[in-house]
Amino acid sequence: MPRIRHTALDCSPGCAVEATLELIDGKWKGVILYHLLEGTLRFNAIRKRLPNVTQRMLTMQLRELERDGFLLRTVYPQVPPRVEYSLTERGRSLEPVIMALKRWGDRHTTFGRSTAVAEAAQ
Amino acid sequence: MPRIRHTALDCSPGCAVEATLELIDGKWKGVILYHLLEGTLRFNAIRKRLPNVTQRMLTMQLRELERDGFLLRTVYPQVPPRVEYSLTERGRSLEPVIMALKRWGDRHTTFGRSTAVAEAAQ
DNA sequence: GCCCATAGTATCGGAAATGATACCGTCATG
DNA sequence: CATGACGGTATCATTTCCGATACTATGGGC
């Protein structure tokens, strides 16, 4: 998605939908947020959960999430370096959104079909 | 977002999140779906609600949503033409997702601040 | 002295998404 | 006979995103 989508956020009620989408858009942000809901993770730990992300992209996505206030980046002055990422309160406030996305995906995508029965049984 | 993000959807639980995001991504899909939740709309009616969309983009986004099974395109053989767009059942199944996005946006974005109090009072 | 681990940067290039603009068909109205 | 309404297409240019690859710093272990 483009960066500056709403110079003026005066486009009727539906705009809040786009405004939120804009923030969690980016090729990996959704999954990153999802994994961080489980707890703090180091850079390479996140990388392991996203087998196809390049180092460059992961760094970029994390920086944007940090810039938008969703996560905290903690650098420990060690060698080799140790950097931990954890959700802020604002980041955790996205949980309903992330989980809604996940539930829908589980139930309606090919990937999710395998778990569809279990989910439906809730 | 890129089109083919998940050639293999085998990337751990968080993948469902991305799979869903992929489908409702596109610069205007979120808002379009939101407005169609209220009912059937004609092409130009949607256009009026999205002041900044170009005709080309609106057509493209609608076609993709149709292709993905979220909406139905009904053409009435009249002159001037009349085309109506309405959500399918699959489209309506996105309601929880769309509304989660909207609620978050209302409460956490600058645009949404004005309605934040009313929302909080729910 | 060399290599490894961690968490990055820098640079280049291609692909994809979006924007701008112009054009189309047909009937009703003026 | 020209104009406008409606729902589009076609073409081109630009912006933005993303991948591949190479490079960096530093301390510890061999």
Side-chain angles (χ1 to χ4, degrees), chain A residues 1 5 9 12-14 16 18 20 25 27 30-31 34-35 70 90 93-94 97 100-102 104-106 108 111, chain B residues 1 5 9 12-14 16-18 20 23 25 27 30-31 34-35 90 93-94 97 100-101 104-106 108 111:
Chain A
M1 273 194 206
R5 186 176 301 171
L9 284 166
S12 81
E18 274 305 310
T20 309
D25 184 33
K27 187 153 172 180
V31 223
Y34 175 76
H35 286 295
F70 293 133
R90 178 176 163 92
S93 77
L94 279 172
V97 174
L101 287 165
K102 171 156 167 47
W104 194 92
D106 280 338
H108 298 271
F111 172 62
Chain B
M1 275 199 204
R5 186 177 300 172
L9 284 167
S12 83
V17 177
E18 275 305 311
T20 309
L23 286 171
D25 184 32
K27 187 157 175 180
V31 223
Y34 175 78
H35 286 296
R90 178 176 162 91
S93 78
L94 279 172
V97 174
L101 287 165
W104 194 92
D106 280 339
H108 299 271
F111 171 62

